[in-house]
């Protein structure tokens, strides 16, 4: 009797995730630790947020609030604060009991929204370059991502308009298989802030083609040029929009992982159905602290914005002096640069060499593209660091 040929080993990783490995943020942060380089790669501040918000978390811990499972939709105090924030700032009224859902950061909100709303074979139009969890979440849902590329102003410099959206390209990307448009404004990694005219055109397209919109607005308070306009506030959009935000960037407590969505009861119910099987609940005591943080006076939000504007300008000027083409961001924590004037062509090779050569870590922007060539020479730097750290990084970068 002849021996049977053993079957070929089956890959452990689900085929939908085969293209994804360790995130670039983890890889480059590990490189920063290993080399002792200044980490301008991952977007987290190197100082804590407001002391009163931190003390609110300590008080919640001591008072026994949130030490056990919090309510699935989030603690009532935070849901009330989120609803008040949307109403006060944008004139958007949401029922805190039925139209607000607290999540484990914006990353879970994105994953839960796409898992809930995208069926296998559905197309999701996303602005490229995009935060890496978008592609992974679309893949886990069995959807197909359709990128629409933001194009840089080739002039660069202090008067650059950064990266802009081609609305004709967006319209052409929508087909009969399109389920939703995935937006991000202010946009990571380019710093683009979509204008009212651009958002109005997107809204008209969504209404015309009966599309859902999932919009990531975690940098809503970090707009330096222009204004943040939630697309849900435009005609016909509240009933078809899932708005995502979080406290990590606004309050500088990224490790707490407190995010949320606001949407109609039907959309919140759909997203909650997926979310309950991801983390179920999280960040109990921190939810009470974030509720207090959202009620901080406007002077706090304005002060944070002005502080980061000054840091943006410092790093942008230093990068330009070092020879980079700088695409000036209108918002977020990040500056995108082109390394071509430095005699370099490949952002991945450049970023791998940068820590040893200059003692600085950055992120190659091509990892956020399907069209790798479009982002091949682009590199992203984070400026959410102490001023003295940015000044030292600028000095080091001049040695390239």
């Amino acid at each position: 009797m002849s021996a049977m040929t053993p079957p070929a080993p089956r890959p452990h990783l689900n085929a939908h995730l085969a293209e994804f490995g360790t995130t670039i943020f983890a890889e480059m942060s590990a490189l920063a630790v290993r080399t002792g380089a200044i980490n301008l790669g991952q977007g987290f501040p190197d100082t804590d947020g407001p002391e009163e918000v931190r003390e609110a978390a300590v008080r919640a811990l001591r008072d026994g609030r949130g030490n056990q499972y919090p309510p699935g939709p989030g603690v009532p105090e935070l849901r009330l604060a989120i609803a008040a924030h949307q109403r006060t700032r944008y004139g958007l009224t949401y029922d805190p009991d039925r139209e607000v859902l607290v999540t484990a950061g914006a990353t879970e909100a994105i994953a839960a929204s796409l898992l809930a709303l995208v069926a296998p074979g559905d197309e999701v139009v996303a602005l490229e370059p995009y935060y890496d969890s978008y592609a992974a979440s679309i893949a886990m849902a069995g959807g197909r991502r359709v990128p629409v590329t933001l194009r840089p102003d080739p002039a660069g410099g202090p008067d650059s308009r950064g990266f802009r959206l081609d609305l004709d390209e967006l319209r052409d990307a929508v087909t009969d298989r399109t389920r939703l448009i995935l937006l991000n404004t202010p946009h990571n990694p380019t710093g683009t802030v979509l204008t009212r005219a651009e958002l109005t055109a997107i809204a008209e397209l969504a209404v015309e083609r009966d599309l859902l919109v999932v919009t990531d607005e975690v940098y809503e308070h970090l707009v330096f040029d222009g204004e943040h306009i939630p697309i849900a506030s435009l005609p016909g959009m509240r009933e078809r929009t899932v708005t995502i935000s979080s406290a990590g960037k606004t309050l500088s407590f990224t490790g707490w992982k407190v995010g949320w969505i606001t949407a109609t009861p039907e959309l919140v119910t759909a997203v909650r159905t997926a979310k309950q099987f991801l983390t179920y609940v999280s960040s109990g005591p921190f939810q009470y602290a974030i509720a207090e943080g959202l009620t901080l006076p406007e002077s706090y939000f304005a002060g944070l914005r002005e502080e980061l504007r000054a840091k943006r300008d410092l790093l942008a000027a230093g990068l330009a002096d070092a020879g980079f083409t700088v695409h000036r961001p209108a918002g977020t924590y990040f500056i995108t640069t082109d390394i071509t004037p430095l005699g370099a062509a490949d952002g991945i090779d450049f970023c791998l060499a940068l820590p040893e050569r200059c003692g600085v870590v950055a992120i190659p922007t091509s990892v956020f593209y399907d069209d790798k060539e479009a982002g091949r020479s682009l590199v992203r730097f984070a400026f959410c660091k102490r001023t003295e750290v940015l000044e030292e990084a600028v000095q080091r970068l001049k040695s390239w």
Side-chain angles (χ1 to χ4, degrees), residues 63-382:
D63 293 346
R65 293 184 298 157
N67 293 333
Q68 308 305 326
Y69 294 132
V75 302
E77 291 86 344
L78 179 53
R79 287 184 279 117
L80 282 165
I82 292 166
H85 174 274
Q86 297 301 91
R87 182 177 64 252
T88 301
R89 292 189 172 275
Y90 308 123
L92 286 164
T93 300
Y94 290 98
D95 180 342
D97 292 325
R98 300 192 307 143
E99 296 185 310
V100 179
L101 176 65
V102 177
T103 61
T107 301
E108 187 196 37
I110 293 161
S113 296
L114 294 172
L115 288 169
L117 302 175
V118 175
D122 285 346
E123 292 181 349
V124 176
V125 174
L127 305 186
E128 178 184 59
Y130 38 68
Y131 181 53
D132 60 352
S133 81
Y134 296 175
S137 296
I138 294 167
M140 286 189 287
R144 176 176 175 267
R145 65 182 182 271
V146 178
V148 173
T149 305
L150 301 179
R151 307 289 179 184
D153 179 349
D159 298 323
S160 168
R161 294 187 67 239
F163 289 68
R164 303 314 312 171
L165 171 64
D166 185 326
L167 290 169
D168 290 333
E169 186 177 343
L170 176 69
R171 178 173 286 277
D172 290 344
V174 173
T175 72
D176 292 340
R177 296 179 297 279
T178 305
R179 170 63 168 165
L180 63 82
I181 298 173
L182 178 55
L183 290 183
N184 177 206
T185 182
H187 182 264
N188 174 16
T190 68
T192 294
V193 175
L194 294 177
T195 65
R196 182 176 292 277
E198 289 167 333
L199 288 166
T200 297
I202 296 168
E204 290 171 351
L205 176 62
V207 171
E208 175 191 332
R209 302 299 296 268
D210 193 23
L211 303 176
L212 297 174
V213 171
V214 174
T215 174
D216 175 354
E217 301 180 5
V218 299
Y219 294 98
E220 60 185 303
H221 292 290
L222 303 181
V223 174
F224 316 120
D225 305 312
E227 62 176 328
H228 174 64
I229 302 167
I231 196 169
S233 66
L234 299 182
M237 293 308 296
R238 189 189 183 284
E239 60 268 30
R240 65 180 66 249
T241 300
V242 174
T243 301
I244 294 169
S245 195
S246 78
K249 304 301 190 293
T250 297
L251 297 175
S252 298
F253 289 112
T254 58
W256 291 7
K257 297 299 291 180
V258 179
W260 54 82
I261 72 163
T262 52
T264 63
E266 296 78 12
L267 288 169
V268 165
T269 296
V271 176
R272 187 173 63 239
T273 300
K275 181 258 188 297
Q276 68 187 340
F277 297 113
L278 297 175
T279 61
Y280 180 53
V281 292
S282 62
S283 308
F286 298 134
Q287 291 190 34
Y288 293 99
I290 296 303
E292 294 193 28
L294 288 178
T295 67
L296 288 171
E298 176 56 30
S299 59
Y300 165 75
F301 298 95
L304 175 67
R305 185 165 55 249
E306 290 310 307
E307 178 184 342
L308 283 165
R309 185 199 307 273
K311 291 179 177 180
R312 174 200 65 173
D313 294 346
L314 187 163
L315 183 57
L319 289 165
D321 287 345
F324 294 81
T325 295
V326 175
H327 296 289
R328 185 181 181 87
T332 75
Y333 277 170
F334 309 109
I335 293 176
T336 296
T337 65
D338 195 309
I339 59 175
T340 305
L342 300 175
D346 187 278
I348 293 176
D349 291 343
F350 180 89
C351 289
L352 290 174
L354 192 61
E356 295 287 354
R357 186 162 172 176
C358 296
V360 177
V361 163
I363 296 290
T365 311
S366 62
V367 300
F368 306 128
Y369 284 83
D370 281 3
D371 180 359
K372 300 302 182 186
E373 195 59 33
R376 184 166 176 255
S377 63
L378 301 178
V379 170
R380 191 194 81 173
F381 293 86

